[in-house]
């Protein structure tokens, strides 16, 4: 026992020293974790904290644009990649981007827009990821073009929101996508619709091919439903839809009637001033008013412009149109092609220009025909938006492209033999179509910018120009009449026969316009509540 006593005393003496060492170690470890916790609170980004603790993070991985979605940023390791992505998403890309209709800012100009320039793959990926987050409707862009049924549709431009003026939630862009072949039959035939104009009755006039009837439009980010006549009549119950404008407006109105005729035969209530077709089951009226320029026109002598030459007061709307619109709930405007015809332009009671008419060649014109078109669009839209008794939805269908090749309609232009849409990347620019589309969009944007936010809700731009640039196969061409002896092929000298490469065969691509009209009506009526019906 005596031998063991010193050992016990040594253990007893050493124990306090070990306890103090352990206490110090525990205190140091606790301080380390407290320090780490403070750092984490200071740098809430988990990747940056990991980098600071373990030395694997870099500032390049932390500096991420807030506008990007997580799956867009994933995999980016260099600050240059992120900076390039952010720059492309925020920079002005008007060279290949369409306008965006917005209730807070006026849409950008179309002036540098290129129709057939495809996106690079990097831009496609950026548009896809950014737009998917905003719209939650899927993605899949590439060049504008066409595909057989089952192929992935594609587009040449980033999508834009065509209905931000109607609701806070962005809607799918209808106007950028691709054409695909649907072997299903069209919703009507030339024999099942008695009202189509003979010149657009391509099958009745002997056109041998039918494939042009079966190409359908697929927006990049969503589906455009086939036209549902019963859905249309239900949405428009007790209301009136009016097509106002030129012969292309008539073309579209007849397409609408043919689509609706398949479920109900309407009653003709028209007059010399206005075509009107009444669907009794739903009290829906479809009307049409002829207005070549949509602004005030007259033929009497004015200043040094003689009698007999059409004069246009570009700052005054067509008074016949303005008298009629209180009866309408939805108006589709069509214009532009008559600005190629002879006319004199008047602004503020002064002659400012003319088309195919200008007596003093030494004196420069202030306004040419394309500028006049833009002014006319602004005039009619502001007048309709501010009309005290019109509360309807106004849809501006953009300039309908023609496809005369090798000349104009009166100088040997032709679309003979076109049986399928133009291939992706093969679209040839039409300078007149491009500039007319630009001026129309500019006039629209100016009008939207000058009306109140509540009135902006009444204006929609239905931008069909680019998509229909690919449909050179959809025109009557030489099949303009039922004459069995008509010439349909080029002569021995290579000259084409007279033909129509402006209007559209029925059935045919023009029916897509009314699918878009139905979708815009649905969005407006279902998104913001049905508008009060006006008397028919």
């Amino acid at each position: 026992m005596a031998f063991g006593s010193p050992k016990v005393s040594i253990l007893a003496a050493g124990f306090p020293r070990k306890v103090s060492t352990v206490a110090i170690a525990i205190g140091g470890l606790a301080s380390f974790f407290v320090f780490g916790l403070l750092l984490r609170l200071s740098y809430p980004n988990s990747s940056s904290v990991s980098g600071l603790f373990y030395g694997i993070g870099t500032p390049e991985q932390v500096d991420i644009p807030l506008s990007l979605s997580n799956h867009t940023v994933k995999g980016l390791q260099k600050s240059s990649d992120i900076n390039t992505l952010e720059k492309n998403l925020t920079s002005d890309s008007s060279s290949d981007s369409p306008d965006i209709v917005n209730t807070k800012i006026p849409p950008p100009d179309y002036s540098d827009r290129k129709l057939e320039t495809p996106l690079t793959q990097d831009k496609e990926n950026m548009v896809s990821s950014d737009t998917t987050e905003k719209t939650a409707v899927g993605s899949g862009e590439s060049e504008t073009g066409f595909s057989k049924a089952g192929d992935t549709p594609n587009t040449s431009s980033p999508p834009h929101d065509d209905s931000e003026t109607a609701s806070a939630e962005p809607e799918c862009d209808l106007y950028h996508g691709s054409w695909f072949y649907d072997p299903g039959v069209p919703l009507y035939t030339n024999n099942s619709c008695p009202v189509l104009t003979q010149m657009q009755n391509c099958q009745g006039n002997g056109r041998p091919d039918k494939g042009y009837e079966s190409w359908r439009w697929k927006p990049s980010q969503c589906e455009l439903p086939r036209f549902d006549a019963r859905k249309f009549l239900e949405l428009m119950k007790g209301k009136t839809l009016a097509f106002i404008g030129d012969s292309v407006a008539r073309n579209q109105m007849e397409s609408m009637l043919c689509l609706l005729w398949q479920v109900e035969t309407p009653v003709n209530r028209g007059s010399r001033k206005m075509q009107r077709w009444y669907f009794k089951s739903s009290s829906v009226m479809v009307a049409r008013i002829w207005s070549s320029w949509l602004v005030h026109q007259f033929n009497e002598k004015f200043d040094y412009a003689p009698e007999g030459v059409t004069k246009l007061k570009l700052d005054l709307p067509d008074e016949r149109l303005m008298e009629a619109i209180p009866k309408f709930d939805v108006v589709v405007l069509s214009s532009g092609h008559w600005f190629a015809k002879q006319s004199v332009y008047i602004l503020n009671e002064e002659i400012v220009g003319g088309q195919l008419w200008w007596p003093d060649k030494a004196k420069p014109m202030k306004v040419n025909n394309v500028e006049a078109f833009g002014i006319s669009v602004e005039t009619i839209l502001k007048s309709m938006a501010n009309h005290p008794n019109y509360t309807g939805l106004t849809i501006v269908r953009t300039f309908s492209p023609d496809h005369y090749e090798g000349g104009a309609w009166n100088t040997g232009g032709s679309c003979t033999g076109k049986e399928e849409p133009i291939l992706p990347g093969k679209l040839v620019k039409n300078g007149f179509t491009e500039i007319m589309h630009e001026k129309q969009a500019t006039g629209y944007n100016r009008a939207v910018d000058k009306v109140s936010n509540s009135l902006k809700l009444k204006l929609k731009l239905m931008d069909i120009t680019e998509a229909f640039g690919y449909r050179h196969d959809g025109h009557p061409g030489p099949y303009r009449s039922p004459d069995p002896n008509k010439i349909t092929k080029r002569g021995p000298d290579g000259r084409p026969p007279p033909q129509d490469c402006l209007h559209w065969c029925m059935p045919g691509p023009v029916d897509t316009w009314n699918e878009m009209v139905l979708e815009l009506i649905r969005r407006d009526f279902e998104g913001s509540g049905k508008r009060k019906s006006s008397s028919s």
Side-chain angles (χ1 to χ4, degrees):
M1 294 293 297
F3 182 77
S5 297
K7 186 175 182 180
V8 173
S9 64
I10 291 172
L11 289 173
F15 183 74
R17 289 196 296 269
K18 288 191 175 183
V19 170
S20 61
T21 301
V22 171
I24 291 171
I26 293 174
L29 185 60
S31 300
F32 180 78
F33 279 107
V34 170
F35 176 70
L37 180 61
L38 290 173
L39 282 177
R40 185 174 183 86
L41 293 173
S42 301
Y43 298 90
N45 186 310
S46 59
S47 63
S48 61
V49 175
S50 300
L52 288 168
F53 276 151
Y54 301 107
I56 61 173
T58 67
E60 299 161 349
Q61 293 172 305
V62 179
D63 185 19
I64 296 174
L66 297 179
S67 62
L68 304 183
S69 61
N70 292 333
H71 58 281
T72 308
V73 176
K74 183 178 180 181
L76 293 178
Q77 298 297 322
K78 295 181 180 180
S79 60
S80 58
D81 294 335
I82 297 173
N83 292 338
T84 300
L85 184 58
E86 183 177 26
K87 179 180 179 182
N88 285 330
L89 283 171
T90 57
S91 63
D92 177 13
S93 57
S94 60
S95 62
D96 58 4
S97 299
D99 290 349
I100 300 176
V101 180
N102 195 293
T103 58
K104 296 181 179 178
I105 58 174
D109 198 303
Y110 276 88
S111 56
D112 297 325
R113 188 167 175 271
K114 297 177 182 178
L115 296 184
E116 78 283 8
T117 304
L119 290 175
T120 63
Q121 189 62 46
D122 289 339
K123 285 186 177 180
E124 289 176 14
N125 293 337
M126 287 183 289
V127 171
S128 174
S129 59
D130 193 46
T131 309
T132 302
E133 183 179 353
K134 292 179 181 178
T135 62
V137 290
S139 62
E141 287 91 49
S142 56
E143 287 183 339
T144 297
F146 66 89
S147 57
K148 295 292 184 181
D151 291 351
T152 301
N154 40 48
T155 183
S156 66
S157 302
H160 73 287
D161 172 28
D162 67 296
S163 62
E164 284 186 311
T165 52
S167 67
E169 290 296 325
E171 294 276 7
C172 165
D173 164 38
L174 296 177
Y175 314 120
H176 295 86
S178 62
W179 294 98
F180 72 98
Y181 189 80
D182 181 355
V185 296
L187 295 178
Y188 65 94
T189 69
N190 62 301
N191 291 321
S192 68
C193 182
V195 295
L196 60 87
T197 297
Q198 188 63 46
M199 187 176 286
Q200 278 79 66
N201 186 355
C202 298
Q203 290 298 307
N205 293 337
R207 180 166 172 172
D209 62 301
K210 290 177 65 74
Y212 65 90
E213 296 181 346
S214 298
W215 289 92
R216 295 194 59 226
W217 179 247
K218 170 68 174 67
S220 300
Q221 298 280 315
C222 61
E223 298 292 332
L224 178 64
R226 286 177 71 90
F227 189 88
D228 185 336
R230 289 183 173 83
K231 176 71 171 179
F232 175 89
L233 294 173
E234 175 188 342
L235 284 172
M236 289 291 294
K237 187 174 183 178
K239 296 178 172 62
T240 297
L241 165 67
F243 295 91
I244 300 177
D246 52 22
S247 59
V248 185
R250 183 206 66 226
N251 202 171
Q252 185 176 359
M253 183 272 293
E254 290 178 355
S255 163
M256 178 63 79
L257 287 176
C258 289
L259 290 164
L260 297 175
W261 211 286
Q262 307 314 301
V263 300
E264 181 179 347
T265 300
V267 178
N268 186 348
R269 290 189 175 178
S271 65
R272 293 180 61 184
K273 292 183 178 181
M274 184 191 312
Q275 287 183 289
R276 297 197 310 164
W277 297 88
Y278 183 66
F279 294 84
K280 295 179 66 175
S281 67
S282 54
S283 299
V284 169
M285 188 80 77
V286 176
R288 183 177 78 90
I289 296 178
W290 177 273
S291 181
S292 307
W293 286 280
L294 303 181
V295 292
H296 177 73
Q297 67 178 83
F298 63 102
N299 291 321
E300 293 77 18
K301 184 180 185 302
F302 183 90
D303 199 358
Y304 55 91
E307 184 178 358
V309 180
T310 300
K311 289 91 178 170
L312 304 178
K313 290 195 173 183
L314 298 176
D315 47 3
L316 292 179
D318 185 337
E319 64 277 8
R320 299 168 303 163
L321 187 164
M322 299 305 290
E323 289 173 4
I325 62 169
K327 301 177 181 179
F328 305 147
D329 299 279
V330 181
V331 170
V332 179
L333 296 177
S334 167
S335 64
H337 292 284
W338 277 65
F339 281 88
K341 297 179 178 289
Q342 185 187 59
S343 49
V344 178
Y345 307 136
I346 301 169
L347 272 176
N348 298 318
E349 298 300 313
E350 175 191 358
I351 295 177
V352 293
Q355 168 66 2
L356 301 178
W357 181 90
W358 193 245
D360 187 357
K361 304 300 182 184
K363 182 179 180 181
M365 289 192 295
K366 297 179 181 179
V367 175
N368 61 19
N369 63 328
V370 294
E371 294 288 349
F373 177 43
I375 295 169
S376 73
V377 172
E378 180 181 358
T379 294
I380 191 61
L381 288 180
K382 287 193 300 184
S383 300
M384 292 178 67
N386 293 314
H387 194 295
N389 299 316
Y390 173 65
T391 59
L393 173 67
T394 302
I395 299 171
V396 181
R397 198 211 64 240
T398 59
F399 192 76
S400 177
D402 68 70
H403 289 90
Y404 289 101
E405 297 179 6
W409 66 274
N410 58 347
T411 59
S414 171
C415 54
T416 299
K418 307 301 183 183
E419 297 184 3
E420 289 189 343
I422 297 171
L423 288 168
K426 301 297 183 182
L427 182 64
V428 178
K429 289 184 179 181
N430 182 315
F432 185 69
T433 294
E434 283 198 321
I435 192 67
M436 291 295 278
H437 178 269
E438 173 196 332
K439 297 303 179 183
Q440 184 182 30
T442 299
Y444 172 87
N445 294 338
R446 287 174 179 165
V448 168
D449 193 34
K450 292 177 182 178
V451 300
S452 66
N453 285 337
S454 61
L455 295 177
K456 284 177 171 58
L457 299 175
K458 301 193 300 182
L459 303 177
K460 300 287 183 182
L461 188 70
M462 196 176 97
D463 193 351
I464 59 89
T465 306
E466 178 178 343
F468 281 77
Y470 286 84
R471 293 309 308 272
H472 63 171
D473 58 318
H475 303 292
Y479 299 98
R480 304 184 304 163
S481 78
D483 180 5
N485 298 317
K486 61 180 173 292
I487 301 173
T488 60
K489 299 184 182 300
R490 293 179 181 271
D493 57 357
R495 290 181 178 274
Q499 54 195 284
D500 179 2
C501 303
L502 169 63
H503 300 94
W504 302 91
C505 292
M506 294 174 52
V510 66
D511 301 316
T512 302
W513 293 355
N514 289 319
E515 290 178 340
M516 292 177 175
V517 166
L518 174 54
E519 176 61 12
L520 291 178
I521 291 172
R522 184 198 66 77
R523 291 179 181 184
D524 185 74
F525 286 11
E526 294 182 351
S528 57
K530 293 189 175 182
R531 299 180 186 277
K532 183 179 179 181
S533 300
S534 61
S535 61
S536 58

